[in-house]
Amino acid sequence: MYFLAMLELDGYLLAPPRPQFALPFDTYDTWCVLLPATGSFDYQVGDAHGIAKFGDVVVCPPGGILHRRMRSRTSFFHARFTTELEPPTGRTRVRDLDRLRGNLTLLENATTAIATHVVTDLVLMLSRTSPPKDPLVDSALTYLNEQYVSPDVSLTELAAILGISPSQLSRRFRAVRGTTPVAYLRDLRLQKARELLAETDQTLQVIAEHTGYRSAFYLSRVFSTQTGQSPSEYRRTSRV
C-alpha cells in the first residue's frame, strides 16, 4: 500500500500514433511525464531541451512549461500526478527498456489502480537512473547557454577554457547529459531558431545572426536536416 501511496494519479493518456500534439506547450499544476512509445519528439522544459525517443522520459515539475513538437508520427504516454518523490526534471534515459515496454503494455487496458502502479514504477526507475553531478559539466552548460549566439564557439575552445581535452569533455558531458557538447549546442541553437520563427517575423538572416549561424543558408540546411522541415515550412505550420 505504501508503494501506491507514494503517488496520486491525476490523469493519464496512452495515445495511438498521430502527426502532432494537440498543443505545442502546456503548463501543469502537478508533475507530469511524457514519453514516446514509437516515433520521437522535440521537447523543452526550462533550460533542458532536445529530442526524446523510445526509452527517454521527459518530466515537467509543477508550474513548469512543457514545450513539445513531434518529429514524425508518434504514439506516446502522458500522465499527471502528485508525489512525495522527487523525479529528475527534463529528459532521463531509462536503462531497463524491457520493463518499460511491459509497463506500456499494461496500460493498454488499465484500471486507475494499474495506471497508478505503472506511473509510480516509472518515477522510481527515473529516480534510480538520475544522471551524476559534475561541476565541470555545469560550467560547460553555463558557457554554452550564454555564448550560443557566437558562431565562433567550438568544442576545442570550450575544452581549453575548462582545462581538459575535447575528448574528456565530450565523455564527461555525455555521461551527465546523454549527448555531446556539440549536439547540445546545435539543439540549443535550433530551439532558439524555432522560437523566433514561430513568434516573430524576423528574416532568416536575422534569426541566423541571433542563433550562432553565419548565414541564413547554413541555418536553413541544418534546420532542414535536423527537423525534416525547412524554416519557412516550420514558420507556416507553427502558426496554424
Side-chain angles (χ1 to χ4, degrees):
M1 294 299 294
Y2 178 71
F3 183 73
L4 293 179
M6 289 180 177
L7 182 146
E8 182 177 346
L9 194 62
D10 186 55
Y12 69 95
L13 171 67
L14 182 63
R18 58 181 61 177
Q20 197 51 258
F21 293 109
L23 297 173
F25 64 89
D26 211 340
T27 304
Y28 306 94
D29 295 329
T30 62
W31 289 92
C32 78
V33 294
L34 179 65
L35 63 99
T38 62
S40 61
F41 58 82
D42 296 309
Y43 74 90
Q44 181 177 7
V45 180
D47 292 333
H49 58 88
I51 300 170
K53 55 185 181 297
F54 178 73
D56 294 325
V57 180
V58 177
V59 177
C60 183
I65 302 175
L66 173 58
H67 297 263
R68 60 282 178 107
R69 183 179 179 85
M70 291 182 183
R71 299 170 62 87
S72 59
R73 288 185 65 85
T74 299
S75 59
F76 63 90
F77 175 64
H78 177 265
R80 305 181 310 279
F81 57 92
T82 56
T83 181
E84 61 191 60
L85 301 171
E86 287 289 335
T89 59
R91 179 185 61 188
T92 301
R93 184 73 180 169
V94 173
R95 295 174 183 170
D96 193 340
L97 297 183
D98 289 337
R99 182 172 166 185
L100 179 60
R101 289 190 186 93
N103 279 337
L104 291 175
T105 299
L106 285 175
L107 288 166
E108 291 176 359
N109 296 290
T111 63
T112 300
I114 291 175
T116 300
H117 172 88
V118 167
V119 175
T120 303
D121 187 50
L122 182 60
V123 171
L124 289 172
M125 281 196 290
L126 296 181
S127 299
R128 292 166 185 160
T129 56
S130 299
K133 299 294 183 181
D134 189 330
L136 184 138
V137 173
D138 289 341
S139 296
L141 286 168
T142 298
Y143 181 86
L144 293 173
N145 289 333
E146 292 177 351
Q147 301 297 324
Y148 72 91
V149 296
S150 170
D152 296 322
V153 174
S154 69
L155 177 63
T156 301
E157 176 190 49
L158 178 55
I161 291 172
L162 297 174
I164 61 174
S165 70
S167 60
Q168 287 176 316
L169 173 57
S170 293
R171 183 170 61 252
R172 289 172 65 170
F173 197 97
R174 183 185 289 277
V176 174
R177 300 292 303 190
T179 188
T180 65
V182 172
Y184 178 88
L185 178 61
R186 179 201 64 212
D187 291 344
L188 174 60
R189 285 170 168 167
L190 289 177
Q191 179 61 37
K192 299 299 183 181
R194 281 192 288 266
E195 292 173 4
L196 292 173
L197 286 167
E199 299 170 7
T200 76
D201 293 318
Q202 293 176 350
T203 66
L204 192 59
Q205 180 59 42
V206 171
I207 292 175
E209 293 169 358
H210 289 170
T211 54
Y213 292 97
R214 296 187 184 278
S215 69
F217 173 79
Y218 186 47
L219 168 57
S220 180
R221 187 173 68 178
V222 175
F223 194 99
S224 299
T225 299
Q226 294 299 317
T227 69
Q229 287 183 300
S230 69
S232 59
E233 289 172 333
Y234 180 86
R235 170 171 272 169
R236 183 175 64 254
T237 58
S238 67
R239 296 184 176 185
V240 172

